Amino acid sequence: STKELMALAITIALCGDHAIASHIHDAVCAGALRSEIIEAIGVAVMTGSELAVAHGAKALEVLEQYDEAAMLEEYLEPCC
């Protein structure tokens, strides 16, 4: 899960929001906790550019949607 959390943070800090959902999904599938994902988002926002703030907000939205889907047992994609 550490590698997926790192990939999420790098995506937020440098790349933009095009791969945020897949990195969150992969982090969850790798066993990352919600708190660890939020921490990775925070680190990315602190170390990234001003755009990282917007990307971090997008990541939190995606995480919230993922949480809602999980509560309803409607997963985005099955974990491999």
Side-chain angles (χ1 to χ4, degrees):
S1 69
T2 301
K3 290 179 183 178
E4 290 301 335
L5 291 169
M6 291 173 62
L8 173 63
I10 291 167
T11 297
I12 292 169
L14 301 176
C15 302
D17 63 358
H18 63 280
I20 288 173
S22 65
H23 285 303
I24 288 175
H25 174 265
D26 292 347
V28 169
C29 287
L33 302 175
R34 186 179 197 282
S35 60
E36 293 172 322
I37 294 171
I38 291 173
E39 184 176 10
I41 293 169
V43 169
V45 168
M46 288 188 307
T47 58
S49 68
E50 292 153 358
L51 284 175
V53 175
H55 300 152
K58 173 67 175 178
L60 290 173
E61 287 177 20
V62 169
L63 183 59
E64 184 177 315
Q65 291 171 355
Y66 194 91
D67 287 345
E68 290 172 3
M71 282 190 275
L72 296 173
E73 297 182 10
E74 296 173 359
Y75 298 99
L76 298 176
E77 293 178 25
C79 292
C80 299

